[in-house]
């Protein structure tokens, strides 16, 4: 059978971790075995827009969208230019697009494929629009490569703890460091390796972020210089060698955008028990008490979230001191990782694409969508979600007035009589501010909306 053609953006600035774990692996390492990848190399949003403007019919069977800077614009341009190309919309984070996705909902066509890496992300998106089908397509790994890179030689003697990820506040590495004095008091010789870019969120150690400097200060203040190592960026084989030598992998992230952290899967693929936050989609990959431990997440006084520090320390100590439990978790972690082998995940993904590719592709209808308002599509939204939209947006305003300004700085407005006096409004997100007419009440509504999208039970406050 002829391979499907999938177009996508390829970031020329290979700087962000997310670009490496998602774009590079999923698209450019795994999919080429099953589909023809057509990469459009870009380095900024303007280049992304230009590539979409030049997209010719028949270029690809699908266009894969996993770049937050061009999400809405891609859908608007498809309507404006009447492009007959289905989109693959990958929901690696629902939280980060709490109000962007509602804009996109009326623009999703029946032959578009909406995917999420976890049940958590799927349910979160369907809290916005239960009418839209969302298919779970997990993150995946090359298990053979990881197996060949593993280097397990210490046999549970080093008492090594490993954190790996972006070194930013909501990943919780500061909490792990603060747990170390108690861990050392109970486990002599315990050591923490922190694998991640010193720059914070980019794949670079050329500069040291303010947050990383504060982490180093904490290490010095607690007298942990000999117990904590910042390794900097580690990739591919070197990364898996370090992971496989660990006794415990720890990831106390409370990042609101987590859907299915790849690092937890990588640790399991190295046979390492995972201690992570009971947050977002973590309970789908980590089975508490079987292949890892989930730590309670609490809401703090400032309105943010953090893991229970004492529970985190106890969990790590338990896995460092109970060798039988540790070994049991290792075996089950390796078993769990098998379901994320890319051969299994990608094959199911391709079958999904082939099924949808048989659908007829009608041309876009930009004239009608521009004249309609969000209220015309009320039936697509969950009632709770639509209440929030009414609080933040003029849902009776035309689509053109609401959203077309997202494109205006990148391309000229089409010539038509209805545009002669068109003056785009400010970006609608700017309407959500403490200086708005509803002041603190509107700010409270925003907090409620965040909780709602994160599957936390909240009631709508007027």
């Amino acid at each position: 059978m002829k391979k499907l053609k999938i177009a996508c953006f390829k970031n020329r600035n290979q700087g962000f971790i997310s670009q490496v774990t998602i774009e590079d692996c999923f698209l450019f390492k795994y999919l080429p075995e099953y589909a023809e990848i057509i990469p459009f190399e870009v380095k900024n949003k303007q280049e992304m827009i230009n590539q979409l403007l030049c997209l010719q019919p028949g270029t690809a069977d699908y266009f894969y969208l996993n770049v937050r800077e061009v999400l809405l614009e891609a859908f608007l341009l498809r309507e404006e230019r009447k492009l007959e190309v289905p989109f693959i919309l990958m929901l690696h984070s629902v939280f980060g697009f709490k109000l962007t996705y509602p804009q996109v909902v009326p623009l999703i066509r029946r032959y578009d494929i909406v995917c999420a890496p976890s049940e958590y992300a799927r349910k979160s998106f369907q809290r916005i629009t239960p009418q839209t089908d969302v298919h779970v397509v997990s993150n995946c790994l090359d298990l053979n490569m990881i197996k060949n890179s593993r280097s397990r030689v210490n046999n549970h003697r080093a008492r090594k703890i490993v954190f790996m990820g972006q070194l930013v506040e909501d990943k919780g590495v500061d909490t792990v460091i603060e747990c170390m004095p108690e861990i050392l008091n109970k486990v002599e010789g315990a050591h923490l390796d922190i694998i991640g870019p010193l720059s914070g969120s980019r794949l670079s150690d050329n500069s040291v972020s303010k947050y990383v400097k504060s982490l180093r200060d904490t290490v010095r203040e607690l007298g942990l210089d000999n117990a904590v190592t910042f390794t900097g960026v580690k990739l591919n084989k070197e990364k898996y060698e370090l992971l496989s030598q660990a006794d415990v992998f720890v990831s106390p992230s409370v990042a609101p955008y987590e859907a299915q952290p790849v690092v937890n899967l990588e640790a399991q693929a190295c046979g390492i028990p995972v201690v992570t936050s009971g947050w977002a989609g973590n309970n789908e990959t980590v089975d508490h008490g079987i292949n890892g431990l989930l730590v309670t997440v609490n809401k703090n006084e400032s309105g943010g979230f953090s893991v229970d520090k004492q529970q985190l320390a106890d969990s790590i100590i338990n896995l460092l001191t109970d060798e039988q439990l540790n070994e049991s978790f290792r075996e089950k972690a390796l078993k769990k990782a098998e379901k994320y082998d890319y051969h299994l995940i990608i094959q199911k993904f391709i079958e999904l694409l082939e099924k949808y590719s048989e659908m007829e592709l009608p041309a876009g209808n930009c004239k009608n969508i521009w004249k309609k308002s969000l209220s015309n599509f009320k039936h697509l939204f969950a009632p709770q979600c639509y209440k929030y939209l009414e609080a933040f947006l003029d849902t009776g305003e035309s689509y053109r007035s609401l959203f077309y300004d997202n494109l205006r700085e990148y391309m000229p407005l089409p010539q038509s009589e209805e545009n002669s006096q068109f003056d785009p409004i400010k970006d609608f997100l700017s309407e959500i501010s403490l200086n708005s007419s509803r002041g603190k009440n509107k700010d409270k509504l925003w907090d409620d909306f965040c909780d709602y999208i994160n599957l936390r039970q909240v009631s709508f406050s007027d």
Side-chain angles (χ1 to χ4, degrees), residues 183 248 250 273-276 288 292-296 308-322 325-326 329:
I183 293 171
V248 180
V250 60
V274 175
V275 176
T276 188
H288 182 70
L293 297 172
L294 297 173
V295 180
T296 302
D308 186 309
K309 190 185 300 185
Q310 186 60 55
Q311 193 180 123
L312 178 65
D314 291 343
S315 298
I316 295 171
I317 291 168
N318 193 17
L319 283 168
L320 289 177
T321 56
D322 190 333
L325 180 67
N326 191 293
F329 278 17

Side-chain angles (χ1 to χ4, degrees), residues 209-220:
S209 72
K210 183 178 179 180
Y211 178 65
V212 172
K213 288 178 182 177
S214 73
L215 294 177
R216 285 176 164 176
D217 290 341
T218 301
V219 168
R220 282 192 293 270

